[in-house]
Amino acid sequence: MSTLTTTPLATLLDRLFEEAEATSPATSPVFAHIPDGERARLMRSKTDYRDFYERLKDFPLAVSRETGTLLYMLARGCLARTIVEFGTSFGISTLHLAAALRDNGGGRVITTEFEPSKVAQARENLQAGGLSDLVEIRVGDALQTLSVDVPKPVDLLLLDGAKALYPEILSLVESRLRPGAFIVADNAEYSPEYLARVRSPANGYLSTPFGGDVELSMRIG
Ligand SMILES: C[S@@+](CC[C@H](N)C(=O)[O-])C[C@H]1O[C@@H](n2cnc3c(N)ncnc32)[C@H](O)[C@@H]1O
């Protein structure tokens, strides 16, 4: 048995994924009036991401169920104790990561989010899942919140905030990653700069696209 597949977390995740699937921004008026080209530009912008995500503050924007399971499996398999997450939203991915820490015997997920209403929602979900004690939520822009006090070693890094910032966030955490640490980047196709970096072994990574949504990388050396 695992924390992921038993009550209360399994029931909570079923509900949260159902809600996430029912509230996709793709079908919302919030998104409908943004032309496709502008949407693509915003997804790649290193400067306009704050306004973009403010418009999306009522959407969970969660990882898929499959990616959630992958996160749990990776964190369990590498016996993770310290995990860093960029992009908390409502805490759905965080719940998977914290469940793995619970089943590994303890540890800490450091996660970060700049939308206060999302932080409140994530705290509520973590409380309902009985996992709050394993999670530190840093409220603010990850460029600041992850620039200090990131412990070493980090066993797993999840990149799931503003896509254009993946290279900058990786740079902030890189010196803390242990050899063999996993980096999971969701929808990394929006950051060709990030993909070029982790796909070059000369930069200290092995990397492969995985499952459609994810770039799965490992720190070597
Ligand atoms: C795709 S959602 C994260 C979904 C979450 N990982 C999950 O699966 O449940 C991205 C989140 O990152 C937040 N975000 C984007 N850029 C950020 C930044 N620079 N600093 C902090 N949070 C950021 C957004 O507000 C949004 O809630």
Side-chain angles (χ1 to χ4, degrees):
M1 300 301 275
S2 82
T3 300
L4 191 66
T5 55
T6 49
T7 309
L9 185 58
T11 326
L12 174 65
L13 284 173
D14 279 345
R15 175 172 66 76
L16 293 176
F17 275 123
E18 265 170 41
E19 288 170 4
E21 281 151 21
T23 55
S24 160
T27 57
S28 157
V30 176
F31 237 50
H33 75 277
I34 309 176
D36 283 355
E38 174 63 358
R39 210 177 299 164
R41 186 191 70 76
L42 288 169
M43 288 291 285
R44 290 178 167 81
S45 174
K46 284 187 195 279
T47 51
D48 295 341
Y49 57 87
R50 187 72 177 85
D51 173 58
F52 181 61
Y53 281 101
E54 210 275 330
R55 288 196 240 177
L56 293 172
K57 67 180 166 38
D58 296 325
F59 295 97
L61 308 174
V63 294
S64 66
R65 282 179 197 259
E66 293 77 13
T67 300
T69 304
L70 175 71
L71 289 170
Y72 175 87
M73 288 165 57
L74 290 174
R76 283 298 307 271
C78 76
L79 303 176
R81 289 286 176 174
T82 304
I83 296 174
V84 175
E85 175 181 50
F86 168 43
T88 319
S89 195
F90 292 2
I92 294 179
S93 49
T94 322
L95 286 164
H96 290 81
L97 295 168
L101 292 186
R102 175 74 78 225
D103 295 339
N104 285 347
R108 177 162 52 136
V109 183
I110 297 171
T111 184
T112 186
E113 171 59 56
F114 52 27
E115 283 302 332
S117 61
K118 286 194 150 183
V119 172
Q121 184 69 64
R123 287 196 203 288
E124 201 177 294
N125 290 335
L126 288 161
Q127 187 72 33
L131 294 166
S132 302
D133 58 308
L134 296 164
V135 179
E136 173 190 343
I137 304 182
R138 296 187 180 179
V139 185
D141 193 312
L143 291 173
Q144 277 85 50
T145 61
L146 296 181
S147 67
V148 288
D149 296 333
V150 177
K152 191 173 182 177
V154 167
D155 303 294
L156 192 154
L157 169 65
L158 171 61
L159 298 173
D160 197 22
K163 312 304 163 198
L165 299 184
Y166 285 5
E168 284 77 5
I169 302 300
L170 180 62
S171 294
L172 289 178
V173 180
E174 191 166 70
S175 68
R176 326 310 292 165
L177 294 171
R178 70 162 166 84
F182 289 118
I183 305 105
V184 177
D186 206 43
N187 304 123
E189 69 275 14
Y190 289 104
S191 178
E193 179 191 345
Y194 175 80
L195 290 179
R197 177 162 161 190
V198 293
R199 287 178 182 175
S200 169
N203 293 326
Y205 298 95
L206 287 178
S207 197
T208 183
F210 192 86
D213 298 339
V214 157
E215 180 76 9
L216 175 59
S217 313
M218 194 187 78
R219 182 73 175 151
I220 47 175

